[in-house]
Each structure stands twice: as C-alpha cells, then as structure tokens.
Amino acid sequence: MNRSGTLALLIAASTLASPAAAETLRMAYATAPISVDPYPYSDSQTAGLGEHIFETLVALDNKPLLATQWQWESPTAAVVKLRDGVKFSNGMPFGARDVVFSMCRMMHPVNGKPNVLTSSLGPVRNVVAVDDHTVRFETTAPYPILFQKLKFLKILSAQANGVTADIAYDGQGDCGIAASYPAQADFDSGKAAIGTGPYLLQQFQATGDATLVPNAGYWGAKAEWDQVEIRSVANNGARIAGLLAGDYDVIEKPGAEDIAVIERDDQFATSSTPGLQTIFIVLDISADGAPGVTAANGAAPLADPRVRWALSMAIDRDAIVGRLFQGNATAANQFAPSYMDGAPEMPPLPYDADAAKKLLAEAGFADGFSMELSVPNDRYLNGTVVAQALAQYWTRLGVRVSLKTEPWSVFLTRRGDGELGAFMYGWGHPQGAAQLISGAFAQKDADLGLGSANMSNYADPDFEAAIRAWAVETDDAKADALIATAMARAVEDMPGIPLYYNHEVWGHRADLAVTGNADGRTMAGMVHRK
Amino acid sequence: MTEPQVPRFAGWRAIFRGHALPTAGLVGMGLFLALALLAPAIAPQNPYDQMQLNIMDGLLPPMTQTMDGRIAYLGTDSLGRDILSAVLYGLRISLLVAVVAVAAGITAGVLLGLVSALRGGWIDALVMRAVDLTVSFPGVLLAIMLLAIFGTGVDKVIVALAIGIWAQTARVVRAVALTEMQRDYIAAARLGGISEWRIMLHFLLPNSITPVLVLLPMAISGAIVAEATLSFLGVGVPITQPSLGLLIANGNEYLLSGKWWISMIPGLVLVAMVLCVNVVADRMRDHANPFLRAKD
Amino acid sequence: MASFIIRRIGQSAVLLFIMSLLVFVGMYMVSDPVAVLAGDDFTAADREALARSLGLDRPLPLQYLAFLGNVLTGDFGQSYVYNRPVLDLIFERLPATLEMVCLAMVLGVAIGIPLGIWSGLNRRHPATRAVSFATTVGYSIPNFWQALLLILVFSVWLRWLPASGRGDTVPLLGAGWSFLTIDGLRHMLLPAANLAVAIVCMQTRLTRSGTEEVMFQDYMMFARSKGIPRWRLVNRHLLRNILIPIVTITGLELGALIAFSTVTETVFSWPGIGKLLLDSIYRSDRPVVVAYMILITVMFVAINLVVDILYALLDPRIRYS
C-alpha cells in the first residue's frame, strides 16, 4: 500500500471515528421554556430554546447573521442585504419573502394578543422585498433603533407555511396571508419549527423539556453536539445537585454562593461573562410626594436631588458586589453596563456615609424620613438580600426603611397601579444605555417609543432634548454622543439609583469550555469540548 | 335537676407522671416559651434593628469575632445577623404566630361547630359547606391574596393560618356535640325550658371541648410548620422580621457551600420545638384514649 | 338516603359556585395579568389590546358571568400564559402527580402498617418507643426543609439519586409515565420519599392505636385466653377490624396529596399539577387557578360524600334525614 493510500485510510478512519464520539449535551435551565413559538414570549429561556432553531437578521453583538449588511438609505428607509446560500431545515432556500412573512406574523396578534415586538415595530410602515436577497424597511418617522429591535425577530419560512406569492405588508400583520400562519401548537409539535438555525427540534414537551438534533444543512459552523437535551430545574440546590451528580453537563444561573461549591470539585468548573442586566432602584420624584414616602415636615423628600444623591452615596456598592455576590457582579456607575459598546465614560459613584448625612441635612431632612422599598422576592438573583443591605445603609443614614418583598406578579401589579414610591428593578437590553434611559426616564411618547416604563416621573428639559434627538438620529456616532449627554444628566439628577450589573454564570463539566453571551441565554453553540 | 357527670380535664400530674419523654417535652416547651419571651433581654443583638446589622459582618462561622468585638457564638448570616439572636427572635415570631392563629382558629371553630350541631338545618349545612370550602382552599393561595390586598405582615399570616384551623376544629366539635346531644340530660334541659344559648355554653361546650384540648398542641405544632412553609414560598412573615421558617428558607442557599449554621441551627431549633409540642400532644391523646388508659 | 344525596349534591353545586367566585375575585385582587404579561416597551394601546384579548377590559362581574357561561358549556377557558385550554394543561400534568403520590402512598402503607401493627402488639418493647419517637420526629420536620435535606444528602453528598425532573417516560393510555422505567423510578424516588415520610408516620400511628384498641377489646382478650395463636388473631380479627378506618383516612389523604403536593413538586421540579398551581398563582394565570380549584373541590366533595355514605352503610346508628 502506498503512502497516499494510507493517508486516505487514516482520513477515512478519522471521519468514521467522529460518529463514534457521538455525544449528547444535557443542559438545565432555571425556568421552563413555555413554547417553541418564537413570537409571543420574551423570557430568556423560551427565547434561548427558540434561538437554537430560528435565527435573526442581526446578532446580539451587532454582527451579521441572516443579514450581511444594513444601512439607512434615508432617515425613514433602511435597506438590508440578506445572506446567500442559506437554507431552512426543510431544504427550502431563505430569501426576502421570509423576512416579510416573519414581520407579518410578528405583527399579527394571535387571538388579539400582542407579540414581543408588536409595540416596538409599530413605526414600521412597510416592508418590501426589493429582490430575492434585499429587503427595504420603511418607517413612519426616523426610527434608528430598528436594527436593535430586529435582533428579536426570528425568521420563519414563508414557503413552508404555504406562502409562495409576494406579500403586501400592512402594519396589522394580516398581509392577506393570515390564514397561513402556524398556530402555537404547530410550533410545539415540531410541524412549524422550521428555521435556519444550527439545530432542529426533535421533541418538545408541554412541561418545557426539549430535545434538539443538528440541522445537517446549516449554513454556518456545524453543530458540535449530536443531540441536545434541555431540561428545567427551578430550585437552585437541585440544579447544582444535578450538575454534581452528572445528570446535566451545563447548568445556568448558579447562586453566588454555589459557584465556589462547583469550583471546589476538579470535575466541574464555572464560566461567567458580564451581563446585560442593570439592577437599580427607581424613585418616584414627583414634587407632590411619592407613595409610601413621608417626612415629618410634610415635604416630598425624593423630589430633592440632594436626597437622592445622599441615598446613593450611603451605599457601599463594592461591599455589595464583593460580599453578597462574591465578585460576580460589577458596581454600577450609570443606568446601563459601563462595559458595553457605546456606553459613555463616567466616574464611579462615590460611597461616603458622612457626606451623605450632611447632604440629607442640607436638604432639610436631618431627622430623616420614612420610605417603603418594594422588592420582588422571586425575580432577581440575591434581590431580597441586596434590599436588606440597602435597608442597613439607609437606616444608618437616618432613613426609616420599611421593606416590602412580594411575588413578582403582585409587585408588577402594584407598580402598574402607581403604588410604589421606591422599588428595585432590573433591565437588560443588548442596546444598553439608550434602551434603558429612554424607556425608564423619558417622557411618554408612543410615536418615538419613549418612556414606556417611566415610573419615576422624571422630566428634565435637557435630558428630554437629548433623548428626543437621539430617538431620530440614524448616525451611530452622533446617537452615542446624545446618549452620553442624556446619561450624564440622568446620573446627575438621579431619578433612580444604579446599583450593579449582574454577571451571567454557568456551571459545567470541567472538560467543557463555555463561552456565554451577555444576554445569559444558555445555548448549545456556546459549549465546546476542550 | 342535678349537674350531669362531665369528664373533666384530668390534670397535668395524672397525665405526665411516669412518662419521662412527655415530661421532658413539657419542660422543653416551657424552656422555648421562656426563651421566646425573654429574647429581647438575652439576645446579644436586636436582629430587627437595621442599625445593628452590617453586611461586613456577614457569613461569619460560629465563635468568630464581629467588627465591634462581640463573639458571634452561632455565626452570622449573609447580612451580618447574629444567628443566636435571630433564632431567639425567630422563635418568638414563630410561637406568636402559631399560638395566636390557633387560639383564634379554635375559638371560631368551637363556636361554629357548636352552633352547627345545636341548630342543625340550614345553619348546619351552611357551616359544614363553608368547612368544605375552607379545607379545599390551599393556604398559599389564601396567603398571597391577603398579602396582595393588605400587604405583608405578621397579622396577615396569622389570619391565613387561623382560617385553615377553624374548619378542622368545627368539624370535630360538631361531631362530638352531635353525639352529646343524643344524651338524656340535654333532652331534659330542653324540656326544662333552658335556653339554647345556655345549653350550648353550660353543657355542650364543656363536654365537647376535651377532644379540642387534646388536639391543641398538635394544632400549634402544625401552625408553626405551616408558617414556615408560607415563608419558604415567599408569602409569609416580613423579611426583616424573620421567623424560624424564614431563617431556614433563607439559609438554604448557603447549605451547599458548607455554611451550615445559617439554616441548620434555626432548623434544628424549629424541629426541637415542634418535637417537644408533639411529644406532649401524643401523651395527651394517648391519655384521652380510654382503652389505653385502662391498661396503663 | 336518596334525598340526602340529592340535597348534598345541590349544596355542593352552590359550594362550587362560591368557590369559583372566591378564586375569581381573589386572583383579580392579587395581580393584574396585563401588568404581568405586557413587556416593558408595550405602548398604552398594546396594553389595551392585550387586556381586550384576555377579556379583561370588561368589568369584573361581566368577566365572571362570561366565565360561568363558558364553564356551563364545558369550556374552562385558555391559559393566559400558555395560550392553551386549561383542562389540557391540568390533565397532561396529572399523570406525573398521580404516579408520584401513588408511589409515596405505597411506600407509606408498606412501611407504616406493618410497623404500626408490630408496635401495637409489642407496647412495652423498647423498639416501640424508638418507633414512636421517630414518627414524632418525622412529623416535626417541615416538608420543604426535609426536601432540601434529601437533595443535599442523596443527590449532592452520596450522589445516589437524581434531584430533579421526571427521567425517562413510557407512553401509556395517551400519557407519559415514569414508573415504567428504571430511570423514571430513580427520579421519582426522592420526591415520593419526601411525601412518604409524613404518610409513614401517620400510618404507623393510626395502625398502632387501632391495633391497641382492638387487642384490648373483650373478644380479643377472650380469644387470647383461649390460646388461639397470635398470628391467627392478627390475620383473622385484627386486620379486618383496623382496616376500615385506615382505608378511609388513606383515601382522604390521597385526595389531599394529589391536590396539594405543591411544595414537593416545586422543590424537585416535578412537572405535576401542584407545581402548575403554584406557578399559575405566581404568574397571574387566573383561568388555570380557577379551573384547578373547581376540579379539586369537586374531588373533595365527592370523597366526602362517599365517606359519609360509607359511614351510614357501615354504622346503622347514623341516619341521614
């Protein structure tokens, strides 16, 4: 046998060997995915499961995915070039019509129920398939954050759902093709679970368990796992136990204390990445007072920026991050992670208990005041512990804090009814700074998509001007500058108190390498064999 | 007319003499009660006073020194709460909740059970269906309703637990009272023109209350455990006034990492206290059982 | 008797009506589904659309009447969260709860009854005191803490048993069952044990006191004095006499466990109806909670009715007029 023959045999042997190394990846989520339908749900686990199967035009980190190029042709028209040679898992080619179809389906309320992007894609007036691989988005007014929103539009196949003619987009999502939309049950049964993603749905159970297999025709890097099993374990201890006992290869969101437990065992390791989520306290700064906040002299303490700064300066953020999170969080100096692209440079927020006391006295509250602090008890990692630490700091400042911890649903309802004067909230978005302050602190403006969650009643002319200019600025550099202005203003006025940025952590087998995304979704694609 | 022969409560000595374990349980109950009452005087720290807590003192193992030079004999939790103090105060909250809830629940249950038995008819049907309704109503649903409508608080937890207790009591009391009413003396009393109200208070109540008294310790231990469970589910007592149950639930996160003292100590205290109550309860029930008493 | 049953069913219908009203209004007071389901970026118009789609834009009395009308046609509505019929959600999770509760019950009865009989027959034996003490300890540990400790010991330290999930299932009668596979049974063991501890304690005590009572009855004393062997006494007379109350209480307990094994299912991530109830309460999924409560009230009413009828049949002194 000659040398090339031997080589050929070796190659043959190595390609034959890979199926022998067939391996199943078992991942445990912290809550159960609700459905495979990619449109009605925004929770991290449902979205994570969906992203194995479906892809978006733009990736989380602004890298091209199904789109290769996108730019504003005019302030109200954006052109998106689509990737060539991409096929859906049923073998049909991906093209412009699929994007229009997906936009229609997103805007179509199933049984009248809005979808994840129904509100944020409202300004889109028309979506046109220019040619097979070019799509034009036309908006009613300048809408620069369109591409940020498109990070959440998972692409379905028009043809697989029986649409073979051109689609005329309308804002209501009817588009003349409403009859062809797959139902939620079709996604869950796998019938409509046809996407361009690296994995195929093999099985989805009503309890949220899912099994995935590789999509053989995937356009990108081949799936590394022959099978992926997704389970969900809500109880923290049980999830860690499952990892240590070998039931799972990767688990998400171990508690801060459990990271050391996993690290202690040579067979296991943890990986983390700074996350998108900012935890902050929202203050109702209305001049006529806030619910649950009372001072002896009848004044509205939170309306005075000095009081808000005093509250902020009384908090030792480094101690919270170090002692309560064992370093798995970053002290905040603004309302969105300082390490994200486009985040303005800001100085750290000072901790100075004495200066805080002085400031409070200056504002006329030397004797302190009473304040209710509301905190959901089943939502944020360590949320209630941090809240108690805040109660310590503020009590030492002279503020009598009464802590209300309640289930998320009760908390949200009271927040919606305007009953909360001071409350803890967490918000994460790939767009970072702009998304948060435009939603949480801008005045309500449905057309510009501003102030949808403004609970602080903050209204500052300079801040408003910057935010409103940003909302229509399609030049990225100029938009970043406007956000820097707005952020600096918001931190100066402090209608809320930034606390820290959560890190995303995964526990896994030591022979695996995990490179997670900042959005904290647990994906098979981020797990590699070492 | 002569007073009917009523089996009176036998007296502590008759019940406990010669029974070492129940006696120990009784002593233990007294001890826990004393600790709970004296908590503010003997606890090294007031764990409800945020001024006295500091996260820099957090997660200290037992017998280490805090920043202000005290010794944390049983360690601290993540917020710097001295576990010894937290357990003493937690004992207080747990006992307070259980005792008040049981007192309220049993009072309501006895009255409604008696009225139900005595009046019969639609009142009886009403009370008994209300009992059915209550026992099939999950405590956590009731607790979250009270929490959402009236806010967090020890009093809401007490109400939630009392509502669970009255129904069971009413059922037992009604059953006993119905048997009692078959007796001749009640018929005689009625013929004698004694008012229904008087019959209830003077004859039915004393005769029907024995089984309730026997079940009382059991109800208290049940209420302590139920409160702990509600706190575990996030709808219990306020987080700044932790009961033993809430201390266990909060400390659980630290169990895996070897910081056992945060949940094990309150857990063992809770189990010890419930155990004392249950041992006493068992003895009282055994004693009330005539078949066993005859052979003792 | 027939008129008693008819009247009782009439009362139960009223009871169900009141229960549904209470839960309906209660959940309305607890949380607003629109606040929970809407995204932070939802506009006011989309919030209104969401409320309309869920029928929550109407006044509460109208919402309730619409619900009642639908229930009378057998439609319990759709889950706000899952967008699926609530009865489908409940019934597809029922097998998981049923098999776990049944395993717990089998464990409880298999250990509790022999232990109880033995203790009852050997009152003075030191082991009896130990058993009695152990059952009291078992009673005294809160269920949730027991569950956490079980995970710590058997999953983390010893690594013998999985701490969560259902494991492999086998389809049977249109549902997946874990008890037919070794893996499924391994997953079921810890949650079932968590429930079984309380059942063992209860069965042991119940059987022990029943045994003691029967053994001191005159006819048993007489039989013993006549030298009838003890095993025969136990087999022929004891079991027959103590089984009736045990079966009754076991039946009642079974109902309660099926309805409310919420804590165990939650800690062990066991996908049964108890976890569904708790999740739905916390997620403001009112249709699921209301339907669930109606179904379990029906179950309890039925159990109570059967028990009352059985009592009347077994004890001729009881007359229902």
Side-chain angles (χ1 to χ4, degrees):
Chain A
M1 194 186 281
N2 61 24
R3 280 178 72 121
S4 66
T6 316
L7 198 65
L9 259 182
L10 275 174
I11 292 169
S14 68
T15 45
L16 278 177
S18 60
E23 218 181 324
T24 300
L25 176 68
R26 297 154 308 164
M27 307 196 293
Y29 283 8
T31 58
I34 299 167
S35 169
V36 183
D37 189 340
Y39 289 164
Y41 306 107
S42 60
D43 64 280
S44 165
Q45 285 73 18
T46 307
L49 169 62
E51 278 170 25
H52 286 92
I53 303 161
F54 305 100
E55 290 181 302
T56 53
L57 296 175
V58 183
L60 176 79
D61 52 5
N62 297 317
K63 292 213 178 80
L65 209 56
L66 289 179
T68 49
Q69 276 177 32
W70 53 91
Q71 63 192 23
W72 289 98
E73 211 176 43
S74 79
T76 56
V79 173
V80 178
K81 289 278 182 201
L82 304 181
R83 192 177 292 277
D84 269 325
V86 174
K87 283 195 165 70
F88 284 98
S89 56
N90 63 356
M92 292 170 182
F94 157 72
R97 187 180 297 147
D98 302 310
V99 176
V100 184
F101 178 83
S102 303
M103 279 293 292
C104 287
R105 170 64 166 79
M106 179 58 88
M107 296 309 287
H108 178 72
V110 179
N111 300 328
K113 217 171 158 181
N115 290 312
V116 176
L117 293 178
T118 304
S119 287
S120 34
L121 291 181
V124 176
R125 184 170 56 86
N126 199 3
V127 187
V128 187
V130 180
D131 64 39
D132 222 23
H133 284 88
T134 312
V135 183
R136 191 170 66 237
F137 290 84
E138 296 165 9
T139 58
T140 48
Y143 194 56
I145 59 166
L146 173 67
F147 299 119
Q148 297 296 337
K149 299 298 183 186
L150 290 181
K151 289 177 176 175
F152 298 98
L153 179 72
K154 296 193 178 84
I155 301 296
L156 307 178
S157 164
Q159 206 182 344
N161 291 297
V163 175
T164 49
D166 284 346
I167 303 165
Y169 183 80
D170 61 46
Q172 283 68 53
D174 181 64
C175 305
I177 51 166
S180 70
Y181 293 143
Q184 190 165 331
D186 296 328
F187 285 103
D188 293 347
S189 72
K191 198 177 126 207
I194 296 165
T196 60
Y199 286 93
L200 293 173
L201 182 71
Q202 191 177 55
Q203 198 196 23
F204 178 78
Q205 290 181 349
T207 51
D209 290 355
T211 309
L212 306 166
V213 290
N215 173 4
Y218 184 55
W219 60 271
K222 273 263 166 302
E224 270 180 70
W225 302 96
D226 303 296
Q227 185 166 312
V228 177
E229 286 177 6
I230 294 174
R231 301 286 179 265
S232 44
V233 185
N235 183 271
N236 218 15
R239 205 160 60 248
I240 307 282
L243 174 72
L244 298 182
D247 297 331
Y248 310 112
D249 305 312
V250 178
I251 59 157
E252 62 177 16
K253 304 186 195 304
E257 281 294 320
D258 299 328
I259 292 170
V261 179
I262 299 171
E263 291 282 343
R264 203 158 53 202
D265 191 324
D266 289 343
Q267 288 181 290
F268 302 98
T270 59
S271 300
S272 72
T273 182
L276 298 178
Q277 195 180 43
T278 306
I279 302 290
F280 57 111
I281 301 293
V282 177
L283 302 171
D284 181 347
I285 64 168
S286 312
D288 51 354
V293 182
T294 49
N297 59 6
L302 296 184
D304 189 326
R306 288 172 296 186
V307 172
R308 292 167 345 229
W309 265 92
L311 289 173
S312 171
M313 284 167 71
I315 303 168
D316 186 351
R317 291 174 176 78
D318 291 332
I320 291 180
V321 165
R323 313 262 339 181
L324 304 183
F325 286 88
Q326 319 293 329
N328 285 290
T330 302
N333 67 350
Q334 52 185 299
F335 291 103
S338 48
Y339 42 72
M340 279 183 69
D341 284 347
E345 285 286 326
M346 305 273 288
L349 290 168
Y351 164 56
D352 188 337
D354 296 330
K357 257 200 161 116
K358 229 174 271 168
L359 208 53
L360 199 65
E362 241 175 67
F365 298 98
D367 295 332
F369 58 92
S370 305
M371 179 165 82
E372 267 181 23
L373 175 64
S374 293
V375 177
N377 60 13
D378 52 356
R379 182 74 179 178
Y380 304 120
L381 185 69
N382 261 345
T384 53
V385 177
V386 171
Q388 292 178 78
L390 294 182
Q392 292 180 10
Y393 288 127
W394 290 345
T395 305
R396 264 177 249 145
L397 177 67
V399 177
R400 291 170 293 280
V401 180
S402 99
L403 198 55
K404 307 270 178 225
T405 59
E406 41 203 12
W408 177 239
S409 54
V410 176
F411 170 88
L412 276 183
T413 304
R414 299 218 297 129
R415 186 183 80 123
D417 294 344
E419 290 173 19
L420 307 185
F423 62 91
M424 179 184 278
Y425 208 66
W427 205 343
H429 193 280
Q431 201 189 356
Q435 191 61 33
L436 199 149
I437 53 175
S438 68
F441 299 126
Q443 291 291 293
K444 272 197 178 50
D445 186 328
D447 291 336
L448 291 179
L450 297 178
S452 57
N454 186 344
M455 301 282 163
S456 69
N457 296 309
Y458 179 53
D460 175 74
D462 295 343
F463 175 84
E464 279 304 309
I467 279 288
R468 296 182 76 85
W470 162 82
V472 295
E473 181 55 70
T474 48
D475 181 298
D476 284 352
K478 285 183 194 161
D480 283 352
L482 287 167
I483 276 308
T485 309
M487 181 68 86
R489 191 71 219 211
V491 171
E492 195 186 324
D493 286 341
M494 217 158 265
I497 301 173
L499 295 176
Y500 53 89
Y501 315 125
N502 265 327
H503 292 186
E504 300 295 343
V505 186
W506 291 268
H508 51 88
R509 272 174 23 207
D511 58 347
L512 300 175
V514 174
T515 48
N517 274 332
D519 62 1
R521 286 174 196 168
T522 305
M523 313 288 298
M526 69 187 208
V527 185
H528 312 282
R529 268 167 287 210
K530 268 186 182 162
Chain B
M1 193 188 130
T2 53
E3 273 284 305
Q5 277 300 308
V6 175
R8 292 278 173 204
F9 184 66
W12 297 105
R13 190 174 295 184
I15 299 177
F16 287 94
R17 191 162 51 197
H19 294 272
L21 197 61
T23 310
L26 200 62
V27 173
M29 270 172 76
L31 189 69
F32 281 120
L33 196 65
L35 286 176
L37 289 174
L38 295 174
I42 54 178
Q45 181 195 58
N46 177 358
Y48 299 167
D49 180 4
Q50 301 293 328
M51 287 296 266
Q52 297 186 29
L53 308 183
N54 194 329
I55 60 168
M56 301 314 278
D57 274 335
L59 301 178
L60 297 177
M63 301 310 289
T64 36
Q65 206 169 26
T66 63
M67 289 192 312
D68 53 12
R70 271 186 315 104
I71 303 282
Y73 295 103
L74 298 180
T76 63
D77 71 3
S78 58
L79 291 152
R81 235 184 243 127
D82 178 57
I83 295 290
L84 174 61
S85 311
V87 163
L88 289 172
Y89 274 78
L91 197 64
R92 210 172 144 87
I93 292 277
S94 290
L95 271 178
L96 173 82
V97 168
V99 169
V100 177
V102 166
I106 284 200
T107 309
V110 166
L111 284 178
L112 285 165
L114 287 180
V115 169
S116 188
L118 196 62
R119 302 300 294 267
W122 67 270
I123 292 182
D124 183 34
L126 191 75
V127 173
M128 283 304 109
R129 294 299 78 76
V131 167
D132 288 348
L133 191 84
T134 317
V135 294
S136 45
F137 210 86
V140 55
L141 184 55
L142 187 65
I144 197 176
M145 283 179 183
L146 292 171
L147 177 142
I149 299 166
F150 303 108
T152 30
V154 172
D155 46 342
K156 284 79 173 182
V157 178
I158 291 175
V159 172
L161 294 179
I163 289 177
I165 294 164
W166 85 265
Q168 290 155 1
T169 316
R171 220 177 229 171
V172 172
V173 169
R174 173 180 172 271
V176 177
L178 278 182
T179 336
E180 200 66 24
M181 280 168 57
Q182 308 290 321
R183 304 246 171 132
D184 294 339
Y185 74 91
I186 299 281
R190 280 191 161 147
L191 284 176
I194 297 175
S195 76
E196 298 261 288
W197 190 243
R198 266 186 68 105
I199 292 177
M200 185 172 111
L201 284 186
H202 287 251
F203 303 133
L204 276 186
L205 181 64
N207 288 320
S208 316
I209 206 150
T210 313
V212 174
L213 285 180
V214 169
L215 288 176
L216 190 77
M218 202 74 180
I220 289 182
S221 68
I224 294 172
V225 171
E227 181 277 321
T229 306
L230 289 182
S231 292
F232 171 72
L233 293 173
V235 291
V237 296
I239 194 159
T240 46
Q241 296 173 45
S243 63
L244 289 177
L246 192 55
L247 288 172
I248 301 171
N250 289 341
N252 168 53
E253 288 174 44
Y254 303 90
L255 208 51
L256 281 177
S257 56
K259 300 184 175 72
W260 53 273
W261 60 93
I262 307 176
S263 72
M264 284 308 274
I265 292 173
L268 291 176
V269 170
L270 181 105
V271 171
M273 179 169 73
V274 174
L275 192 59
C276 286
V277 179
N278 279 345
V279 167
V280 171
D282 284 353
R283 178 65 206 126
M284 285 173 70
R285 213 179 22 200
D286 282 355
H287 184 82
N289 188 330
F291 294 106
L292 301 185
R293 200 162 50 196
K295 290 287 138 192
D296 266 341
Chain C
M1 180 61 106
S3 82
F4 161 73
I5 295 174
I6 291 167
R7 207 172 55 234
R8 188 66 168 279
I9 288 174
Q11 288 172 5
S12 303
V14 177
L15 177 75
L16 279 174
F17 173 77
I18 295 171
M19 173 62 101
S20 68
L21 190 66
L22 265 181
V23 180
F24 203 89
V25 177
M27 282 301 288
Y28 174 83
M29 310 275 275
V30 166
S31 54
D32 172 15
V34 174
V36 178
L37 292 173
D40 269 323
D41 57 356
F42 268 36
T43 60
D46 283 332
R47 277 172 199 273
E48 275 162 34
L50 180 58
R52 215 166 30 246
S53 76
L54 303 176
L56 299 174
D57 53 334
R58 292 165 296 172
L60 189 65
L62 285 186
Q63 291 178 34
Y64 182 71
L65 286 179
F67 162 80
L68 266 193
N70 289 335
V71 166
L72 293 179
T73 64
D75 174 12
F76 280 83
Q78 296 242 329
S79 155
Y80 293 161
V81 174
Y82 291 93
N83 299 322
R84 296 181 51 209
V86 292
L87 290 186
D88 290 6
L89 285 174
I90 293 172
F91 285 115
E92 72 197 9
R93 281 165 177 75
L94 191 59
T97 298
L98 282 182
E99 61 179 357
M100 180 188 69
V101 166
C102 287
L103 179 62
M105 206 43 117
V106 168
L107 286 176
V109 168
I111 300 172
I113 291 186
L115 210 55
I117 292 179
W118 189 86
S119 313
L121 293 176
N122 303 281
R123 288 192 64 211
R124 306 278 176 207
H125 200 284
T128 297
R129 283 168 193 261
V131 166
S132 154
F133 186 69
T135 57
T136 313
V137 173
Y139 245 78
S140 309
I141 308 177
N143 188 260
F144 74 90
W145 198 48
Q146 216 177 75
L148 299 169
L149 293 180
L150 281 175
I151 290 177
L152 190 71
V153 173
F154 291 99
S155 297
V156 180
W157 289 347
L158 299 173
R159 300 193 184 174
W160 287 353
L161 292 168
S164 55
R166 264 188 101 181
D168 298 339
T169 55
V170 170
L172 178 74
L173 304 171
W177 301 85
S178 300
F179 76 97
L180 295 169
T181 67
I182 298 292
D183 184 55
L185 277 174
R186 272 168 43 82
H187 280 80
M188 212 192 299
L189 212 49
L190 278 189
N194 181 219
L195 290 181
V197 169
I199 306 173
V200 169
C201 297
M202 185 193 69
Q203 295 281 359
T204 307
R205 289 151 161 264
L206 209 62
T207 316
R208 191 193 76 188
S209 62
T211 305
E212 286 169 348
E213 272 182 38
V214 172
M215 291 311 276
F216 289 120
Q217 296 280 0
D218 292 343
Y219 68 87
M220 286 300 257
M221 303 288 232
F222 182 65
R224 272 209 288 195
S225 68
K226 279 188 67 180
I228 295 177
R230 208 158 102 140
W231 62 267
R232 233 189 106 155
L233 278 179
V234 172
N235 266 345
R236 294 284 303 265
H237 301 286
L238 176 67
L239 278 178
R240 188 175 300 172
N241 278 297
I242 60 172
L243 272 183
I244 294 170
I246 290 174
V247 167
T248 314
I249 295 195
T250 305
L252 288 172
E253 189 68 9
L254 195 65
L257 284 176
I258 290 170
F260 302 128
S261 53
T262 39
V263 171
T264 300
E265 289 188 5
T266 302
V267 175
F268 290 97
S269 291
W270 188 260
I273 53 173
K275 185 170 187 312
L276 176 71
L277 174 68
L278 203 65
D279 287 348
S280 299
I281 291 173
Y282 284 115
R283 280 176 179 163
S284 194
D285 202 344
R286 188 174 70 191
V288 178
V289 179
V290 176
Y292 188 97
M293 291 307 301
I294 289 179
L295 290 184
I296 63 147
T297 311
V298 169
M299 181 179 80
F300 280 128
V301 164
I303 291 177
N304 279 340
L305 185 60
V306 170
V307 167
D308 283 351
I309 293 172
L310 281 181
Y311 277 164
L313 295 177
L314 292 174
D315 186 347
R317 283 171 303 178
I318 298 176
R319 283 273 171 273
Y320 296 111
S321 51

